[in-house]
Amino acid sequence: TKITQMANPGYKAQGFLSLGTLYFNDGATILEKAAPLATSTKPSERQQYEVEKGKALDSFKKAQGYLVQGSSADSQNADIKEALKQVNEAIATHSKK
């Protein structure tokens, strides 16, 4: 996280991109592990899926925050734009009931 405190906008943007990617991947991993619970016939397992989905959404929102900061540091960075698009799509998809 120290790289995000640097004065160089390019390095700062890359630091935020790395942090955003880390949190996005964490959220995706949580959802991947919880996926079997989503279609379970047991109400307790479906509830557990909702809990895990909430954790994943929290990770996606952290990723979104870091990517927005990275975009502020370097608004032309295509990697940040693409990552932010993916994060926004994941949030929209998993925020639906």
Side-chain angles (χ1 to χ4, degrees), residues 9-95:
Y11 290 148
K12 183 180 263 191
Q14 288 301 316
F16 283 122
L17 174 61
S18 294
L19 286 168
T21 302
L22 174 80
Y23 281 103
F24 178 74
N25 288 339
D26 282 347
T29 299
I30 291 168
L31 286 175
E32 182 180 1
K33 289 179 181 177
L37 301 174
T39 57
S40 174
T41 57
K42 297 179 183 176
S44 62
E45 288 183 357
R46 286 196 309 269
Q47 284 179 325
Q48 184 60 36
Y49 173 76
E50 291 301 320
V51 169
E52 295 302 310
K53 185 172 83 168
K55 291 177 187 177
L57 279 169
D58 287 345
S59 287
F60 292 154
K61 288 175 184 175
K62 285 181 185 178
Q64 184 183 47
Y66 284 124
L67 293 168
V68 166
Q69 291 179 65
S71 182
S72 294
D74 182 0
S75 62
Q76 301 305 310
N77 187 308
D79 292 332
I80 291 174
K81 288 179 183 180
E82 179 59 30
L84 190 54
K85 178 182 169 193
Q86 290 178 3
V87 168
N88 289 336
E89 288 173 0
I91 289 171
T93 299
H94 296 290
S95 292

